[in-house]
Amino acid sequence: MSELEYYVRELERDGRFGMERAYPHHGDTSVYTHSVHVAKMSLKLSGILPGEFHRKDLIRGALLHDYYLYNWHNTDEGHRLHGFHHAKTALKNAKHDYNLTPIEESIIAHHMFPLNPAPPTCREAWIVCVADKICAVSELVKG
């Protein structure tokens, strides 16, 4: 079992991570699949950048960055400004279900920079922020 698979199973076992399968995200991609894509891309980016990274925090933060647990396409349910608010909701949900490190919290809270104006506060959060944009564009292009 890979390190990524280990943390996916851990999050499914200890919280509501598996619920993300039910929510559409970009095109035909679920929030769950998107989160796994972001974790994989984050690992790739960390592998080509100099320096050391907290791999566990990087992976878990990437997996939980969109842990908002609702269908944001249902704008009639108050999700019109989803892009501006979901990081805060994801962090609240993740803190409820899991014990988070400060790095994991930063990843979740700041992944929507620059749409949310507070920039990432650590290297791992910057990597997930960039990986999220790469994956979102790729998923939207695929349809």
Side-chain angles (χ1 to χ4, degrees):
M1 173 183 334
S2 74
E3 192 176 14
L4 176 59
E5 291 169 327
Y6 174 83
Y7 291 118
V8 166
R9 288 184 184 180
E10 177 185 73
L11 295 176
E12 288 178 337
R13 180 191 69 227
D14 297 342
R16 298 173 284 171
F17 184 70
M19 285 178 60
E20 289 188 346
R21 286 183 177 95
Y23 302 119
H25 202 30
H26 305 121
D28 294 333
T29 305
S30 69
V31 176
Y32 181 96
T33 300
H34 168 74
S35 297
V36 172
H37 287 166
V38 171
K40 287 178 182 177
M41 179 60 68
S42 296
L43 286 169
K44 285 180 186 177
L45 293 173
S46 72
I48 61 173
L49 294 171
E52 297 294 318
F53 296 90
H54 295 91
R55 286 178 63 88
K56 177 182 178 182
D57 294 348
L58 178 72
I59 295 167
R60 284 174 42 102
L63 290 171
L64 294 171
H65 80 280
D66 278 340
Y67 196 63
Y68 47 82
L69 305 174
Y70 59 79
N71 183 349
W72 66 271
H73 298 88
N74 291 337
T75 56
D76 57 332
E77 294 177 11
H79 304 304
R80 288 186 193 278
L81 298 175
H82 167 79
F84 294 98
H85 301 291
H86 79 271
K88 184 182 285 187
T89 303
L91 180 58
K92 178 182 158 198
N93 289 340
K95 287 172 88 171
H96 179 269
D97 289 358
Y98 308 104
N99 291 320
L100 302 178
T101 68
I103 291 172
E104 292 167 345
E105 288 185 21
S106 179
I107 289 169
I108 298 165
H110 302 287
H111 78 275
M112 285 303 292
F113 180 78
L115 186 59
N116 297 152
T121 58
C122 60
R123 297 177 77 218
E124 292 82 1
W126 275 108
I127 288 173
V128 173
C129 183
V130 170
D132 183 41
K133 302 331 179 242
I134 292 168
C135 292
V137 169
S138 175
E139 292 159 5
L140 286 167
V141 169
K142 287 179 185 175

